[in-house]
Amino acid sequence: MNRLTVVLVTDEPEFAANITRRWLDEKNVPSFVLAQTNCSSEFDSGNFDLAVVGGIATGALGPVLETLKGTRRPVIHISRLNGHSPREVISIAETQGWPDLLSTVAHEILQRVRTEGELGLLQEKAAQLELQAALGRYMLDVRHSLNNVLTSILGNSDLILLDAPALPGPQRSQVETIRNMALRLNEVMRRFSSLQKEMQLLQQQREKTQSKKASAAHA
C-alpha cells in the first residue's frame, strides 16, 4: 500500500517541527504536508489520510475544522483551550508530552486507515473472482449446447466437402475455413472440459484435507 499522508494545519513552524521531530522516532513515518490556514487548498481536497490541527488563531479554528469536516477524514486537534473542538474531532490538550500522545493516537488511526484500504482491495479482488466464477458457471451451462452446434457445423461442412470437386474454388475454400474454425472451437471446448475436471479434483482434495484437519482437531 502507498505511504500514508498526514497534513499539518498550523501557522506556527515550531508546532509542525515538534510533531515531525517526534515522528522520526517511529518505525513507519508517514508523508507530511504542511498547510497554513490561509492556504486551504492544501487540505480541503481530502488528499490525505489524517489531519493534525494546532498552533492557529482561535478565530481561524472554526472555519478550518469545518473545511476538514467536509473531507470526511479523521482530524486531531491539539487544543490550547478546553471545549473548543467539535465532537467529530479528536481533541488532545497541548500539555507536557502532547507529541507522544499525538503519535500514539495517530498511529492507531493510520493503522485503521491502512487496514480499511487493504480490506477494500480484498473486497475488490473477491468481486473479480466472483465475476470470473459466474462466467465459468455460465460456460459450463452452455457447453453442451455449444458442443451440439459444433457437431452440426462439422458434420455439414464434411458433407459439403465430400462434394468438393463440384464446388468452385472460392466456395470450397470458405467451407474449409468454416470447418477449420469449428475444429479449433471444438479443441477449446475439450480443454475447457479438462479444466473443469482438474478443478473438481482440486476441490475434492481440498475437502479431504479440510476433513483430515477437522478430524485431527477433534482427536
Side-chain angles (χ1 to χ4, degrees):
M1 192 174 179
N2 293 335
R3 193 177 181 188
L4 299 180
T5 300
V6 175
V7 60
L8 305 178
V9 185
T10 181
D11 291 327
E12 297 179 3
E14 185 59 27
F15 176 85
N18 287 334
I19 294 176
T20 54
R21 279 197 301 265
R22 172 59 182 81
W23 231 304
L24 290 177
D25 296 332
E26 297 293 325
K27 183 177 180 180
N28 297 317
V29 180
S31 297
F32 290 103
V33 175
L34 182 60
Q36 295 181 323
T37 56
N38 59 356
C39 297
S40 62
S41 60
E42 294 288 344
F43 55 86
D44 63 2
S45 61
N47 294 327
F48 56 87
D49 300 291
L50 170 66
V52 178
V53 182
I56 62 177
T58 303
L61 179 61
V64 167
L65 293 180
E66 188 65 27
T67 299
L68 289 171
K69 179 182 176 181
T71 66
R72 298 184 180 277
R73 296 291 191 271
V75 180
I76 298 177
H77 172 219
I78 307 301
S79 176
R80 292 172 178 171
L81 297 174
N82 294 328
H84 225 355
S85 302
R87 63 181 182 179
E88 297 88 356
V89 176
I90 299 173
S91 182
I92 296 176
E94 190 175 348
T95 56
Q96 185 176 2
W98 69 264
D100 293 331
L101 180 57
L102 169 63
S103 176
T104 301
V105 174
H107 173 76
E108 294 299 324
I109 293 175
L110 294 176
Q111 183 60 40
R112 185 188 66 186
V113 171
R114 185 180 290 107
T115 301
E116 290 176 349
E118 292 172 350
L119 178 61
L121 291 176
L122 290 175
Q123 291 175 336
E124 183 179 344
K125 290 181 179 179
Q128 292 175 351
L129 290 174
E130 178 60 29
L131 179 61
Q132 293 172 359
L135 179 59
R137 289 192 295 268
Y138 175 77
M139 289 296 295
L140 290 175
D141 291 340
V142 303
R143 183 188 55 180
H144 183 69
S145 297
L146 287 175
N147 283 332
N148 290 339
V149 172
L150 289 174
T151 299
S152 178
I153 293 174
L154 287 171
N156 283 282
S157 59
D158 285 338
L159 289 175
I160 295 174
L161 289 174
L162 288 175
D163 198 25
L167 291 175
Q171 293 182 5
R172 183 170 62 251
S173 178
Q174 290 173 348
V175 174
E176 289 176 346
T177 299
I178 292 173
R179 183 179 183 278
N180 290 335
M181 292 300 100
L183 286 172
R184 291 180 62 180
L185 284 174
N186 190 50
E187 180 62 25
V188 171
M189 296 306 299
R190 287 181 180 177
R191 293 179 181 177
F192 191 80
S193 298
S194 177
L195 178 61
Q196 180 191 11
K197 293 178 181 179
E198 291 177 7
M199 292 175 63
Q200 290 175 343
L201 180 60
L202 288 174
Q203 180 63 27
Q204 292 173 0
Q205 292 176 343
R206 188 180 297 109
E207 291 175 353
K208 288 181 180 179
T209 300
Q210 292 175 348
S211 178
K212 289 181 180 179
K213 289 182 178 179
S215 299
H218 291 293

